[in-house]
Amino acid sequence: MIESRPIDIDGRFVGVAVNASLSWHFVAIDPVLDDLHGTHFASAEEVARVARLVLARATRRVH
């Protein structure tokens, strides 16, 4: 059975973490996180943590 979890950062839906047996991979919905699309992580929480960091960094550059 495939397990997935939406990744929402401060009310912004940015993608989905999908369990791929031994790891979780990220399916990016938000173009800001396209570089993370398909990246594998140890947990869905780790996906969310890294996505939050990348999004924060991208937001700081714009402002």
Side-chain angles (χ1 to χ4, degrees):
M1 184 166 116
I2 296 173
E3 182 180 2
S4 64
R5 295 194 188 149
I7 303 298
D8 180 284
I9 300 174
D10 300 326
R12 181 175 176 172
F13 177 62
V14 297
V16 178
V18 179
N19 188 319
S21 293
L22 301 175
S23 65
W24 290 78
H25 71 271
F26 182 60
V27 178
I29 302 299
D30 192 310
V32 173
L33 299 175
D34 276 348
D35 287 346
L36 291 180
H37 183 80
T39 304
H40 289 258
F41 297 89
S43 67
E45 292 77 17
E46 184 72 3
V47 174
R49 186 185 73 77
V50 172
R52 181 179 303 279
L53 290 171
V54 172
L55 188 61
R57 185 173 194 174
T59 302
R60 279 195 301 266
R61 281 192 220 167
V62 172
H63 294 130

